[in-house]
Amino acid sequence: MAAAGDGPWLDDAAGRLVRPFTVSNGRTEPSIALDLMSQVMATGVTPLGYLGPEHAQALDLCRAPVSVAEVAAQLTLPAVVTKVLLSDLVDCGALTTKPPVYHHTPTDRSLLEAVLDGLRRQL
């Protein structure tokens, strides 16, 4: 007897038909430094030349400021691939980027102590 999931995969059940790194032409290094929390936003400039459908989807998601992590989640692509796509859009002037604003410095002792205290309570 066949299990319920043994049938053919159709439409959305088949998942992505193109490997993620083919979307970025195998590139794994974005041309600009992007943090997962960096904010990106469309500038209104129309990109010249051909950009793939994933570029268009990413640009559409960036009508309002959004984080790189959110774009990756919405596109269901690995973060590194999303960073390459977004850097392409920044390079052609279609996107602008703003680095993340951190409210605490990485060496803020009180923050580190609070994290350590929380971890100890979990153990």
Side-chain angles (χ1 to χ4, degrees):
M1 175 168 234
D6 288 345
W9 290 351
L10 303 173
D11 298 327
D12 291 337
R16 182 177 287 277
L17 298 177
V18 176
R19 298 243 183 233
F21 287 97
T22 60
V23 171
S24 63
N25 293 325
R27 293 175 295 146
T28 59
E29 291 292 324
S31 60
I32 60 169
L34 288 171
D35 187 276
L36 286 176
M37 297 307 295
S38 294
Q39 298 288 302
V40 288
M41 183 174 169
T43 62
V45 172
T46 303
L48 298 175
Y50 175 76
L51 294 176
E54 289 82 3
H55 285 92
Q57 289 174 317
L59 189 55
D60 188 50
L61 291 170
C62 298
R63 287 178 277 161
V66 63
S67 71
V68 171
E70 181 64 24
V71 174
Q74 292 293 323
L75 294 177
T76 62
L77 286 172
V80 68
V81 174
T82 302
K83 287 179 182 183
V84 170
L85 294 177
L86 294 175
S87 71
D88 290 346
L89 292 168
V90 169
D91 290 344
C92 72
L95 285 183
T96 186
T97 182
K98 182 177 170 186
V101 177
Y102 295 108
H103 298 289
H104 298 285
T105 59
T107 57
D108 183 351
R109 185 174 179 93
S110 63
L111 175 64
L112 294 174
E113 287 174 351
V115 170
L116 182 59
D117 184 48
L119 289 172
R120 284 182 179 149
R121 278 187 264 145
Q122 293 295 319
L123 298 175

